[in-house]
Amino acid sequence: NMYQNILLPIAPGDKIDGNRTFTAARALLTEGGAITVLTVLEAAPGFVEQYLPEGQSKTLYAKEAKGLIDEVSKIEGAKASVKNGHPARTILEESTRLKVDCIIMSSHRPGPSDFFIGSTASRVVRRAQCSVHVVR
């Protein structure tokens, strides 16, 4: 099954080079298709924010966005997107907005808290309106 429009969420700071989810996306992408690499930055909680120097979170956001965009811009058929928000919700919103036909993401080894709250991947799998390919 080949896909035309793939959304590839990656964790902040993750690289595309050698990324297994990116390799999977390339394999599942139809010729002439597009991959959007998405990083979602969660806002620091208010109580943390007050201890950061003025503008620090904006500086980190800009640095993260520039790093990802620089890396992805070298790859034909791929574009980068950096958003602020709740990871699962933002991934789902972007998948709808971009009309993607597949979301490809990695499953991080679940910890004890995931048993109760569910990981980002499992939330996306449950709620996505398109196919979701989870790379272990």
Side-chain angles (χ1 to χ4, degrees), residues 1-2 13 42 48 55 58 61 63 65 71 84 86 88 92 94 108 119-120 125-126 131-132:
N1 207 5
M2 301 294 270
E42 284 186 272
V48 172
K58 284 186 177 57
Y61 177 85
K63 188 175 164 202
E71 189 181 10
N84 272 319
H86 178 274
L92 293 165
E94 285 299 285
H108 296 289
S119 66
T120 298
V125 166
R126 283 197 305 271
S131 295
V132 181

Side-chain angles (χ1 to χ4, degrees), residues 84-118:
N84 272 319
H86 178 274
R89 191 176 316 124
T90 306
I91 291 165
L92 293 165
E93 286 167 358
E94 285 299 285
S95 72
T96 302
R97 188 180 71 78
L98 297 168
K99 297 178 174 65
V100 302
D101 49 8
C102 186
I103 301 168
I104 298 179
M105 57 194 305
S106 67
S107 165
H108 296 289
R109 216 170 279 285
S113 65
D114 293 328
F115 181 76
F116 298 105
I117 60 165

Side-chain angles (χ1 to χ4, degrees), residues 23-38:
T23 305
R26 292 303 283 258
L28 293 170
L29 188 68
T30 189
E31 196 173 328
I35 298 171
T36 301
V37 181
L38 171 69

